[in-house]
Amino acid sequence: MPLQKPQITSLALFCKVVDNFGDIGICWRLARQLEQEHGIAVTLWVDDLRSFKRICPEIAVDLDAQKIGAVTVRHWRDQNGVFSADDVADCVIEFFACDIPPGYIAAMAQRTPRPVWFNLEGLTAEAWVEGCHKLSSPPTQSLTKYFFFPGFTDKTGGLLLESGLQQQRESFQNNPAAMLAFFAQFGVTSAEMASLKVSLFCYPHAPVAALFDAWQKCDQAVTCLIPEGVAAEAVRAFLGAEAGVGATATRGALTVRILPFVPQADYDKLLWACDLNFVRGEDSFVRAQWAGKPFIWHIYPQDENLHHVKLNAFVQCHTARTDNSVAFSSGWNAVTGNNEWSENLDESWPLFLADLKKIALMTTDWQNQMMKNGDFTSNLLKFAETVR
């Protein structure tokens, strides 16, 4: 009988933080799922512990190595580290083409058996991804690196989805007392609970001031919940003061309330509990899709507006949409021009608002479609075993 391949029991994940919270957010969720659901010993190398601490308060920013739960976190300070073959994990992942230390690669080449090496790419709905998913690069020091893409079809790696997440969400959303207690910790009043609750997480260039202006004048009361430091200029102008945690003000139909950054599990609950979620980057974008609520994605900006191509590709494949939501999303991302969009908000916001219930119902079909692709972490490990 042929010898059985040894199972993957250890994994090193390298993360350079570019988009303050999206990169580390994805890697932290992946690391925990690998350990908790698959029993893999994970070492997460991160170059920016301060951003990490915003979503994981247990992080100590002054330590080179620490344990958070069962995951080992290492502060990735430079490219000059010296490693031996014993330091190398069974599987090595570089997130979004970050250059891992040359010394680590050299140690990988000395290890027996060779580790499985992945470049974990960013999420996109563009068609070319299906042709590049699982492709290998030319060997480096006798090592082969494979490209693994998350995505929205069965020809990609799928989306990050922890076991039991949907059951947790449904249990929370069907428990009014739990949602009330969750909001109460942030000072949300009973009147605000009865309003349209919106979470807002966006990049600084988002046209937030125009949105605030439209919300103030609309017939529907809106409570906008914003993590501290997000949309700082527009929030400060609205509040008339610095926007620290707990700051709040009401003008017309709009109430703005500043929340602290919260651990990822609580951010999930925020998405589950709100009626509409504005999200940005990749991590919160994926979590919004599992929340079962309408959302607007603020895509990470790229030179020459290449992000608009990426946005359009997702819009075309996303089934939980209406013409009004697509138009609103395009304006929010400056596809049609911020000025034109802002000037028409008094008309476009009520149209989009009227579609929210319809969009929420369509999200169930979208989620079912995504779940058929399998969860990203399991798909990654299955492929790793085939090439090990």
Side-chain angles (χ1 to χ4, degrees):
M1 294 179 62
L3 292 176
Q4 187 175 12
K5 293 181 181 179
Q7 286 190 328
I8 291 173
T9 61
S10 61
L11 183 144
L13 173 56
F14 288 83
C15 173
K16 283 192 175 180
V17 178
V18 178
D19 175 10
N20 292 342
F21 311 106
D23 305 317
I24 184 56
I26 295 162
C27 290
W28 183 225
R29 291 188 195 275
L30 175 60
R32 284 182 298 166
Q33 188 178 11
L34 285 163
E35 187 280 320
Q36 293 173 1
E37 297 184 18
H38 299 277
I40 293 176
V42 179
T43 299
L44 174 56
W45 292 82
V46 186
D47 69 334
D48 182 357
L49 293 180
R50 295 189 182 279
S51 289
F52 194 177
K53 186 176 179 64
R54 297 291 296 277
I55 62 171
C56 179
E58 298 94 330
I59 286 290
V61 298
D62 56 346
L63 294 181
D64 286 333
Q66 55 195 297
K67 280 269 192 179
I68 306 297
V71 175
T72 299
V73 176
R74 299 291 303 271
H75 190 182
W76 182 8
R77 293 183 180 276
D78 55 49
Q79 293 291 87
N80 300 318
V82 177
F83 302 89
S84 70
D86 292 337
D87 297 319
V88 176
D90 297 332
C91 183
V92 179
I93 298 176
E94 55 186 44
F95 180 74
F96 208 34
C98 65
D99 294 324
I100 64 179
Y104 197 93
I105 296 174
M108 289 164 62
Q110 298 301 315
R111 188 185 190 274
T112 303
R114 298 284 194 271
V116 183
W117 187 8
F118 285 115
N119 179 14
L120 172 53
E121 287 286 354
L123 175 63
T124 180
E126 293 167 278
W128 61 264
V129 165
E130 294 184 349
C132 296
H133 180 56
K134 297 181 181 179
L135 286 185
S136 61
S137 64
T140 300
Q141 299 186 42
S142 74
L143 298 164
T144 299
K145 178 166 59 176
Y146 296 91
F147 295 89
F148 205 85
F149 286 80
F152 303 98
T153 74
D154 60 3
K155 295 181 177 61
T156 70
L159 301 177
L160 273 172
L161 174 65
E162 301 90 339
S163 174
L165 180 70
Q166 295 299 70
Q167 291 82 358
Q168 295 171 26
R169 174 184 64 84
E170 291 172 3
S171 176
F172 179 78
Q173 290 178 332
N174 290 325
N175 188 339
M179 284 204 286
L180 185 63
F182 175 76
F183 278 127
Q185 68 181 312
F186 304 119
V188 176
T189 67
S190 56
E192 292 165 12
M193 283 291 297
S195 68
L196 182 82
K197 296 175 290 299
V198 180
S199 75
L200 179 62
F201 190 38
C202 61
Y203 294 110
H205 62 281
V208 175
L211 189 59
F212 280 0
D213 184 62
W215 281 346
Q216 290 178 66
K217 296 182 290 185
C218 72
D219 295 331
Q220 168 73 57
V222 176
T223 297
C224 184
L225 305 169
I226 309 177
E228 182 184 22
V230 173
E233 184 176 340
V235 170
R236 185 165 52 247
F238 181 85
L239 296 177
E242 291 301 317
V245 171
T248 185
T250 299
R251 300 182 189 280
L254 172 63
T255 297
V256 170
R257 183 174 290 278
I258 309 304
L259 308 185
F261 266 77
V262 294
Q264 288 182 322
D266 280 345
Y267 183 68
D268 285 336
K269 289 181 179 178
L270 179 65
L271 297 177
W272 299 346
C274 286
D275 304 299
L276 172 65
N277 296 301
F278 287 76
V279 294
R280 80 181 202 191
E282 185 169 324
D283 180 55
S284 59
F285 170 50
V286 173
R287 304 313 281 193
Q289 292 176 64
W290 296 129
K293 297 295 184 71
F295 68 90
I296 294 293
W297 180 28
H298 200 205
I299 190 169
Y300 189 78
Q302 293 177 289
D303 293 339
E304 300 180 0
N305 287 329
L306 292 178
H307 56 296
H308 289 166
V309 175
K310 188 174 178 179
L311 175 68
N312 185 61
F314 174 70
V315 168
Q316 294 304 312
C317 79
H318 189 220
T319 57
R321 70 178 193 271
T322 65
D323 290 344
N324 292 322
S325 70
V326 171
F328 197 89
S329 172
S330 295
W332 182 247
N333 285 283
V335 175
T336 56
N338 281 146
N339 290 336
E340 178 184 346
W341 180 80
S342 299
E343 291 170 359
N344 294 323
L345 262 179
D346 290 346
E347 298 177 5
S348 62
W349 167 250
L351 294 173
F352 175 44
L353 179 62
D355 285 351
L356 290 188
K357 289 184 179 179
K358 182 192 303 183
I359 296 169
L361 290 173
M362 291 189 289
T363 60
T364 300
D365 290 337
W366 174 253
Q367 288 176 342
N368 290 337
Q369 182 179 328
M370 292 302 98
M371 284 189 281
K372 289 178 181 177
N373 299 328
D375 76 273
F376 176 85
T377 304
S378 296
N379 290 339
L380 176 76
L381 292 176
K382 287 175 185 175
F383 179 67
E385 295 290 356
T386 67
V387 297
R388 182 164 166 73

